Amino acid sequence: MGDVLKLILKRLGYGLLTLLVVSILIFFAVELLPGDTAQAILGQAATPETVAALRTQLGLDQPAPIRYLSWLSHAVVGDFGVSAVSGTPVVQVIGGRFINTLFLASYAAVIAVPLAIILGVIVALLRNSVFDRVANVLTLTSISSPEFFLGYILILFFAVNIPAFPAIASLSGSLSFPELLHRTFLPALTLVLVVTAHMMRMTRAAIINLLASPYIEMARLKGVPPWKVIVKHALPNAWAPIINVVALNLAYLITGVVLVEVVFVYPGIGQALVDAVSKRDFPVVQAASLIFAATFILLNLTADVGAILTNPRLRHPK
Amino acid sequence: MSKKNPNLMDRIAQEARMGRISRRNFMQYSMAAGFTASAATGLWTTNAFAQEAKRGGTFRWGIHDGNTGDTHDPGTYVTRVMIFLAHTHRSFMTQINGDGSLGGDLATEWEASEDASQWTFRLNENATFGISGNKVVAADVIASLNHHRGDASTSAAKSLMADVVDITADGDNTVVVTLSGGNADFPWLLTDYHLAICPANDDGTIDWQSGDGSGPYVIESGEFGVQFSLVRNENWHGEGAWFDRVEMITLNDPNARQTALITGDVDSVSQIDLKTMALMERNPDLKLQNVPSAAAITMPMFCDTAPYDNVDVRNALKLAINRDDIIEKIFFGAATKANDFHHSPAQPYWPDDIPQREYDPEQARSLLQRAGAEGLTVNLSTADSVSAGAVDMAVLYAEHAREAGINVNVVREPNDGYYSDVWLVKPFTLVSWGARPTPDVMYTLAYKDDAAWNESHWQNERFNELLLQAKGELNEERRAEMYREMALLARDDGGTIIPFFNNFVYASRSNVGTPENLAPSWESDGARAASRWWFTD
């Protein structure tokens, strides 16, 4: 177990380093964009003198490296500052949005992960049957379509033709939990359709791969029923690749949902990030990007740790 | 019953909207067209429509263009959501009525000194702030206007207030504004969306942070870039505010906006995609609102840069555009043909007798010959962010111009930073202008010789002389005559092609009642749908 702990600490250290590099890249990427915050705030109506006054007020007249270092010195102690555009604390701008995004991601994950793994096991069991073919075609079709298109199709069928769900998932007013689930069902379903195929096919492939191994043949020869062969004998050895692909898809559910948020007008962090980039609101862009980067790093770490914990050979290296 | 003539009626109504006929003439014409006196009165007063209005319901209003970075600071209002919100929870001194004329909001009456350099406004004594319950007094107005003045001000409306020398109170309910020169349009300027009235702090600054205002509704809760919930301000000083509650939802995605309207998730949207206009029109649950405005697409050429320094070249380029074709193909008919002067029929003093410049490649060719510029090649800069269809429009223009032997290269610039790196920098560009209330504001902003935004670098002595004269002229007739001459100068000597004025195209559910005339200043009835509209069921 000590090895695992050491690995986690080491990976977390690398993770922090990655975040630092990401923050530098983001800062200079925002700097490279034409125009600056002052111009973005004042829009087309800006006169040069008003822009200059606002620049001074926002501290934009300082050289770029100094602005970055001042941001960094606060960020390392957990102070992400205030939005350059609205002056509200970044935590306040992003906090609620991030919770919304986490909610939608969890909603989709709770449906997608069991669905994908169960489907994966079933199609592995019934491989090359009609069911396998149909499941593959459907999931591959949904993963190959852009998610905004899937969203539009779902809206057309389940909001316009059959008005079962609202077309926009705006979270106005106080909603009870069942209302919330009803209102956000279509965006969650869109995400489920997008991520299911990947996980299902990985489960199927991993299991089918194992089904050719001698110990599975042994199990079969001694008369173990096929579903038990898969669940008891094959699946435990297939967890490592499945966990990897699940982690990757969970990260996607958090960081890749901008289009779904736009289509369903869902107030998540992706929309906030797009808004912040268009206003050159560096502190918000930076904080949102770091959240995304940290999500990837943590989920990758979880995947690696999960792979080790499910594999006795890795848990007890000689 | 006498026979009514609906076409004539439409024309008269349009004349009235343009402010070109008085109430008395309107009545005469209407009766001549077969309407009874009472029917004509009903047509004239928007209040007659309001009589059918009833109270109640929650108005869910889907608005395009909102951003998480928005704030309640009136000096930096820039998105539609904030502009619309400002007209819903705050008040302005004056407002643009549904018929395009000027009306009072907080100000009940106003008068100018003889040279129009000093304006006195009487405030409505019933006006109160929705949250604090305090009366709106002169100090609040003064602080709110001063927010856009002074060196430290970061307001985008600073240039608008540049001529203001002093603002003083005369008692609690009278505000006196002194200008550096005469400006007959000053009460019109006060309709600008930045000039919302906020409560004053003791030190003469304003409290915009609390979101308090004296408008028809009070903000209950909200999140910038997402949505705002408002309830009626029962003590509001104006007429209207029929809805009990208003939900303003940011719907940036055109498809989401239209779907939400079709499925009934919202009651009205502030903009629809012109491509789907015909489809929406066929849906019996919806009604489309198509309102001519003073917003325009302009194509300025630098008059001090070759080849545009030759007036024949400029006019050849103006003759080489087929306006009807562009309006039909790119804007699906939702635009009003313009005539190369930046003065829209939706603004007061519009001269209606200036011949329309039509597409004439032959004449353009001969003008080029005279200028010795045959086989002219020009670069036209544009970007998708200027307006939906802006690049398509430029490409179509290039096709029109080819007929006249002009080679227009369409240069597609990056969307980001178009107004800082391309506009006012490249010599021939495509620009989108929002609606301004009067010709003076528009001309002063972008056509005056020393204006920072003189986008065509146009210098015309007579035009600038008239501009200053007209500004201080309180006699309506003389003023209209001056604007007519200026329009001719801009049309025949100016450096800006103005192909059309965009219409505002928006839509509502069919159970939303609206007055006959919708204000031309912004989408959704001059941004005041929440206080002017009602539910019919």
Side-chain angles (χ1 to χ4, degrees):
Chain A
M1 262 343 240
D3 285 342
V4 176
L5 208 65
K6 221 163 89 189
L7 175 97
I8 293 177
L9 287 176
K10 207 164 103 186
R11 294 290 293 272
L12 281 178
Y14 283 139
L16 285 177
L17 210 64
T18 314
L19 288 183
L20 182 72
V21 175
V22 167
S23 78
I24 296 175
L25 285 179
I26 299 288
F27 180 84
F28 287 100
V30 175
E31 281 294 301
L32 282 178
L33 291 173
D36 67 8
T37 314
Q39 280 168 339
I41 290 178
L42 293 168
Q44 195 186 343
T47 57
E49 51 171 41
T50 327
V51 172
L54 191 58
R55 252 182 216 146
T56 316
Q57 193 185 312
L58 295 171
L60 290 173
D61 45 354
Q62 303 278 332
I66 292 182
R67 273 182 287 133
Y68 174 73
L69 287 177
S70 109
W71 172 83
L72 186 67
S73 64
H74 289 102
V76 288
V77 293
D79 171 14
F80 284 94
V82 295
S83 154
V85 178
S86 63
T88 15
V90 169
V91 179
Q92 208 177 313
V93 175
I94 288 191
R97 299 297 195 92
F98 186 51
I99 290 169
N100 288 347
T101 296
L102 280 183
F103 169 77
L104 188 61
S106 318
Y107 190 2
V110 164
I111 301 174
V113 173
L115 179 75
I117 292 177
I118 292 170
L119 269 180
V121 170
I122 295 176
V123 294
L125 204 62
L126 307 173
R127 64 181 182 282
N128 299 334
S129 69
V130 175
F131 181 77
D132 179 25
R133 296 270 154 77
V134 170
N136 269 315
V137 166
L138 286 183
T139 49
L140 283 177
T141 309
S142 68
I143 202 179
S144 317
S145 324
E147 53 259 66
F148 67 86
F149 180 69
L150 284 177
Y152 288 156
I153 297 283
L154 290 180
I155 288 177
L156 177 64
F157 285 119
F158 299 111
V160 178
N161 289 354
I162 311 165
F165 297 97
I168 52 173
S170 71
L171 305 177
S172 60
S174 51
L175 296 169
S176 69
F177 191 64
E179 272 173 349
L180 191 63
L181 291 183
H182 177 249
R183 191 158 272 220
T184 52
F185 181 73
L186 288 185
L189 185 60
T190 312
L191 290 174
V192 167
L193 291 176
V194 172
V195 297
T196 301
H198 197 190
M199 293 189 285
M200 183 198 91
R201 289 186 56 83
M202 185 53 93
T203 309
R204 178 182 181 273
I207 289 175
I208 289 178
N209 224 358
L210 287 168
L211 290 183
S213 345
Y215 80 97
I216 297 285
E217 204 166 335
M218 178 63 207
R220 280 214 192 102
L221 287 175
K222 71 183 184 193
V224 181
W227 67 268
K228 219 171 175 182
V229 171
I230 287 183
V231 174
K232 285 241 154 155
H233 298 264
L235 204 51
N237 276 322
W239 276 130
I242 294 174
I243 287 176
N244 253 314
V245 76
V246 168
L248 211 64
N249 278 295
L250 289 184
Y252 177 81
L253 283 180
I254 292 173
T255 61
V257 297
V258 180
L259 289 176
V260 174
E261 285 176 8
V262 169
V263 168
F264 291 98
V265 200
Y266 185 79
I269 196 171
Q271 286 250 32
L273 177 62
V274 172
D275 281 359
V277 170
S278 73
K279 290 276 176 190
R280 315 281 181 268
D281 191 347
F282 164 71
V284 175
V285 175
Q286 188 69 278
S289 309
L290 288 183
I291 287 178
F292 286 166
T295 307
F296 260 106
I297 291 169
L298 286 177
L299 283 169
N300 267 318
L301 176 62
T302 318
D304 288 351
V305 172
I308 291 171
L309 293 181
T310 54
N311 188 337
R313 271 173 304 180
L314 291 175
R315 236 182 311 160
H316 308 286
K318 284 197 189 122
Chain B
M1 223 173 101
S2 55
K3 200 163 157 253
K4 291 176 188 174
N5 180 341
N7 288 338
L8 178 60
M9 212 46 237
D10 276 355
R11 273 224 314 279
I12 297 169
Q14 195 174 353
E15 299 278 302
R17 261 203 298 282
M18 291 163 192
R20 275 190 276 118
I21 55 178
S22 66
R23 184 177 191 280
R24 176 187 295 176
N25 286 341
F26 180 85
M27 297 291 286
Q28 283 171 354
Y29 292 147
S30 309
M31 288 196 275
F35 283 80
T36 61
S38 60
T41 312
L43 280 172
W44 175 259
T45 34
T46 40
N47 282 344
F49 298 102
Q51 275 159 17
E52 317 158 10
K54 23 179 250 188
R55 284 160 80 91
T58 299
F59 181 54
R60 293 158 308 161
W61 191 6
I63 303 167
H64 68 288
D65 178 30
N67 193 293
T68 314
D70 289 341
T71 68
H72 284 311
D73 180 357
T76 56
Y77 279 161
V78 65
T79 62
R80 285 295 196 293
V81 172
M82 291 318 294
I83 294 168
F84 287 22
L85 183 64
H87 286 85
T88 309
H89 83 119
R90 285 179 172 151
S91 301
F92 295 78
M93 289 295 279
T94 51
Q95 64 176 320
I96 292 179
N97 293 328
D99 60 9
S101 62
L102 186 71
D105 186 349
L106 277 175
T108 51
E109 52 191 88
W110 50 89
E111 56 178 9
S113 63
E114 231 161 80
D115 62 348
S117 71
Q118 194 176 58
W119 287 86
T120 308
F121 295 87
R122 290 286 300 169
L123 298 183
N124 189 322
E125 290 175 28
N126 298 321
T128 53
F129 287 103
I131 297 177
S132 69
N134 295 336
K135 278 203 174 309
V136 181
V137 293
D140 299 312
V141 174
I142 294 171
S144 300
L145 296 182
N146 280 340
H147 185 62
H148 312 277
R149 299 175 60 215
D151 290 338
S153 171
T154 53
S155 165
K158 211 160 142 179
S159 52
L160 204 63
M161 301 297 284
D163 292 342
V164 175
V165 180
D166 194 23
I167 309 175
T168 54
D170 179 7
D172 260 359
N173 291 306
T174 306
V175 177
V176 181
V177 181
T178 311
L179 308 172
S180 59
N183 187 351
D185 275 349
F186 189 71
W188 285 90
L189 296 190
L190 295 177
T191 62
D192 184 89
Y193 60 94
H194 297 99
L195 306 180
I197 306 302
C198 304
N201 293 322
D202 292 337
D203 63 354
T205 58
I206 51 165
D207 164 28
W208 54 261
Q209 293 87 345
S210 66
D212 200 356
S214 53
Y217 291 86
V218 181
I219 297 179
E220 202 175 56
S221 65
E223 193 182 338
F224 292 104
V226 183
Q227 62 96 36
F228 284 90
S229 304
L230 303 97
V231 289
R232 190 195 290 121
N233 175 3
E234 299 294 348
N235 300 318
W236 184 46
H237 57 272
E239 257 177 74
W242 307 105
F243 304 114
D244 294 336
R245 304 179 56 86
V246 177
E247 299 271 337
M248 300 175 74
I249 307 160
T250 303
L251 295 176
N252 287 330
D253 182 53
N255 187 71
R257 217 156 48 227
Q258 284 171 203
T259 315
L261 184 68
I262 290 168
T263 58
D265 286 309
V266 295
D267 300 304
S268 183
V269 295
S270 58
Q271 189 182 64
I272 63 161
D273 191 345
L274 296 180
K275 289 192 195 86
T276 55
M277 214 160 72
L279 287 170
M280 309 271 286
E281 213 151 28
R282 286 211 297 268
N283 188 330
D285 295 333
L286 309 178
K287 56 181 171 196
L288 214 60
Q289 286 133 341
N290 192 339
V291 184
S293 83
I297 300 280
T298 64
M299 299 160 73
M301 316 171 248
F302 284 176
C303 296
D304 53 2
T305 306
Y308 315 108
D309 52 355
N310 187 322
V311 65
D312 286 333
V313 170
R314 299 203 290 269
N315 285 337
L317 285 162
K318 291 175 188 170
L319 284 164
I321 189 165
N322 186 338
R323 297 155 214 261
D324 296 315
D325 198 36
I326 287 177
I327 291 175
E328 211 43 57
K329 291 198 172 114
I330 315 276
F331 296 90
F332 301 90
T336 310
K337 206 163 158 186
N339 204 4
D340 299 329
F341 56 93
H342 207 145
H343 186 168
S344 143
Q347 288 169 330
Y349 312 111
W350 182 67
D352 60 352
D353 58 345
I354 295 183
Q356 173 68 44
R357 177 172 282 133
E358 302 287 352
Y359 178 48
D360 190 344
E362 282 317 305
Q363 204 194 336
R365 212 182 271 273
S366 69
L367 283 179
L368 285 180
Q369 224 157 31
R370 198 164 80 189
E374 291 137 301
L376 178 71
T377 298
V378 293
N379 291 332
L380 172 60
S381 294
T382 180
D384 277 320
S385 60
V386 173
S387 149
V391 174
D392 296 343
M393 173 184 157
V395 171
L396 191 55
Y397 173 48
E399 287 305 313
H400 299 153
R402 196 183 313 281
E403 292 289 309
I406 303 169
N407 188 11
V408 177
N409 290 327
V410 177
V411 184
R412 194 181 187 143
E413 307 280 356
N415 285 340
D416 269 332
Y418 183 82
Y419 285 105
S420 45
D421 303 335
V422 179
W423 181 55
L424 302 179
V425 177
K426 301 278 172 79
F428 190 22
T429 54
L430 204 107
V431 183
S432 164
W433 281 93
R436 297 300 193 282
T438 64
D440 175 67
V441 177
M442 196 59 236
Y443 285 144
T444 307
L445 208 55
Y447 297 85
K448 195 169 181 291
D449 46 8
D450 59 352
W453 291 346
N454 182 352
E455 55 178 6
S456 59
H457 297 190
W458 184 44
Q459 312 283 335
N460 184 303
E461 215 174 299
R462 176 71 184 149
F463 180 89
N464 285 288
E465 195 182 292
L466 283 169
L467 182 60
L468 288 182
Q469 267 177 30
K471 191 170 190 159
E473 180 60 68
L474 286 169
N475 180 310
E476 302 276 298
E477 236 166 82
R478 277 206 296 273
R479 211 162 176 224
E481 185 44 46
M482 290 177 195
Y483 285 123
R484 186 177 175 280
E485 192 181 341
M486 285 161 69
L488 280 169
L489 288 169
R491 174 180 179 271
D492 298 330
D493 183 60
T496 311
I497 307 174
I498 306 174
F500 56 83
F501 295 100
N502 329 43
N503 290 6
F504 292 139
V505 184
Y506 43 95
S508 307
R509 301 286 300 173
S510 50
N511 65 340
V512 175
T514 68
E516 183 89 333
N517 294 325
L518 300 169
S521 44
W522 290 101
E523 298 89 349
S524 298
D525 204 354
R528 288 178 185 263
S531 57
R532 290 179 177 171
W533 296 0
W534 61 88
F535 284 124
T536 53
D537 54 6

